Amino acid sequence: MIRSSLRALRAGRSPLTTLLWLLVTASRLLSQEPGLQFTVTSARGILPAPQRGRLFVVISRTADPEPRTTIGSTDIDAPLVLATDLANFTSGVPGVLNRNSALFPLERLSDLPTGDYFVQALFDDNFELRSVNAPGNLYSKVEKLHLDPLRNGSVPLVLTGKIPPERLPEESALVKYVKFQSKLLSAFHGRPIFLRAGIILPRDFGRNTAAKYPVEVNIGGFGDSYNTAGRLMEEGTNFKRMWLSDSTPRMIFLQLDGDGPLGDCYQVNSENNGPYGDAVVSELIPYIEGKYRAVGRPSARFLSGGSTGGWVSLALQVFYPDSFNGTWSGFPDPVDFRAYQLIDIYGDTNAFVNKAGFERPAARSTLGEVLWTMRHEVRMENVMGAGDSYTMSGGQWGSWNAVYSPRSRAGTPAPLWDPKTGTIDTTLRNSWKKYDLRLVLQDHWQTLAPKLKGKLHIWVGDADNYFLNNAVHLLDEFLTKADPPYGGWIRYGPGEGHGWSPLPHREIMNQMMERMR
């Protein structure tokens, strides 16, 4: 093209015209260059066979925390993350990330200000646990680099580290851990799938070897790990002081684990995750009850949890009403899909934009300030997920979608909405109804009412940071008028945000023990 321009100059074009032509031509040629890019290779021997996975490069202003651990942050000034899928990553063949890669939070790689950054690459190929920091994933050393996205250049990064294989945490006299292979889940996925759990034993467990104890099955917040049991019992914690107190009821505390192949499994049966609910109820809980001298009857088995755990504890009580004697469910994830946070999946046509045409918030402060929008948060999960889609991210929206959606023809969770535009696929609404807990209760109340009488205890702050109070109010509208009455309670914290609770944990345990009498 430049040669043709020179020929035009010699053919009689004015020098100014030709200069402009040359500038436009040069600009076009430069725009075809890849610009700043990162070429990532694996160190010799660290990747013995070609692997499929997702490659990330994280660009941070600080080395602490380590950049790879910040993947998934929704802050507006979160470290920059680039990502792409690799179908056959092998030693000696680089993976390349550039302006064409998925990107968050910036819109374009060229928008990165010139300056000094801490850069780290990560290759995620663990398909048992949908976490970028799962065992077996590869990572590079953190390097301090001067980056200028407006100047062409390739930045080499080498994966030299490997997240070590999973090891159960160290046990103590009262804290135990279980890694249990599920026959049901392994058959569903066609490979070994494990359930993990943390167990806190009552203070007198070792002294009174004839005693049997009721079980509190607890589910934590989104992605909460089974090793929460150990953290609860660390020296100086309020929980440990409460647990060892003379006035605390003697129970076994069973902490479930949220990690699964597609993110948080939500401990219920689903078309994409498999029979998690059946595995927990019919495999894991009986195994632990037999191993640690539990009473082993539904009347001595209780549920508790907050946030994700609030939804899961309520769902397990509803889906397995004969297996548990009550749930104490705090600030649960959406229990009515007319208020799927701020989306009405039955009436809305777009997840990102509300009926008034404005960007839909996804999080707020207790004073009402918007912290981030739906579009912003889903963009982050699109970067995390294979295929540049939140549906495979293992993040919050991806995990929900994996639990509630049917499986697509590609074998992945069908997206409720388009990852880029937010347009809702209205054909999926019926598939989601079986996880709409208010709707399940409403449609099956005559059967469920006698099995759930007095078992439902729910609370939420009325300024919940993720708008979860809206769905609880809709559930409350049904339960308040339900006939026969449900016999439980729902409580609200005026002005309170996510995590508010009206009861100390010891009081929850006292109420559980009352139901055994």
Side-chain angles (χ1 to χ4, degrees), residues 26-80:
S27 176
R28 287 174 178 169
L29 288 172
L30 287 172
S31 68
Q32 296 170 9
E33 296 292 333
L36 177 65
Q37 67 175 18
F38 300 87
T39 55
V40 183
T41 55
S42 61
R44 186 183 300 274
I46 201 171
L47 196 65
Q51 294 291 334
R52 173 173 61 95
R54 191 153 176 89
L55 181 66
F56 298 85
V57 166
V58 187
I59 304 170
S60 176
R61 287 290 190 181
T62 177
D64 186 17
E66 208 169 327
R68 64 184 168 90
T69 67
T70 67
I71 296 174
S73 171
T74 51
D75 295 341
I76 195 69
D77 58 350
L80 182 64

Side-chain angles (χ1 to χ4, degrees), residues 300-315:
R301 194 180 297 137
F302 304 94
L303 293 155
S304 67
S307 193
T308 290
W311 189 94
V312 172
S313 56
L314 183 59

Side-chain angles (χ1 to χ4, degrees), residues 267-424:
Q267 318 294 344
V268 294
N269 296 350
S270 81
E271 193 170 323
N272 294 292
N273 287 324
Y276 264 93
D278 290 350
V280 167
V281 172
S282 67
E283 293 182 327
L284 180 65
I285 291 176
Y287 171 78
I288 289 172
E289 286 180 331
K291 186 177 177 68
Y292 293 107
R293 299 201 323 266
V295 174
R297 296 192 306 268
S299 61
R301 194 180 297 137
F302 304 94
L303 293 155
S304 67
S307 193
T308 290
W311 189 94
V312 172
S313 56
L314 183 59
L316 287 174
Q317 183 66 78
V318 170
F319 294 149
Y320 302 89
D322 297 320
S323 297
F324 301 98
N325 195 16
T327 183
W328 283 256
S329 306
F331 39 101
D333 287 357
V335 294
D336 187 317
F337 290 165
R338 293 172 296 174
Y340 185 52
Q341 292 201 182
L342 288 180
I343 304 165
D344 175 359
I345 75 163
Y346 308 119
D348 287 330
T349 58
N350 193 284
F352 298 164
V353 180
N354 65 20
K355 288 184 174 69
F358 289 101
E359 291 290 310
R360 180 174 275 121
R364 63 178 173 181
S365 72
T366 54
L367 297 178
E369 292 285 349
V370 176
L371 300 178
W372 60 78
T373 65
M374 285 291 306
R375 190 187 304 272
H376 179 84
E377 188 174 16
V378 173
R379 276 193 61 232
M380 177 270 291
E381 291 199 24
N382 286 341
V383 172
M384 293 177 66
D388 298 347
S389 173
Y390 73 97
T391 61
M392 296 295 292
S393 68
Q396 180 65 84
W397 296 104
S399 293
W400 277 334
N401 192 84
V403 175
Y404 307 146
S405 267
R407 184 173 290 197
S408 70
R409 290 181 180 179
T412 56
L416 180 62
W417 59 73
D418 183 274
K420 302 299 190 295
T421 68
T423 301
I424 292 175

Side-chain angles (χ1 to χ4, degrees), residues 135-152:
N137 288 349
L138 308 179
Y139 59 93
S140 69
K141 294 179 180 178
V142 180
E143 296 187 47
K144 187 175 184 180
L145 301 171
H146 184 79
L147 301 179
D148 183 353
L150 299 181
R151 298 184 64 178
N152 296 338

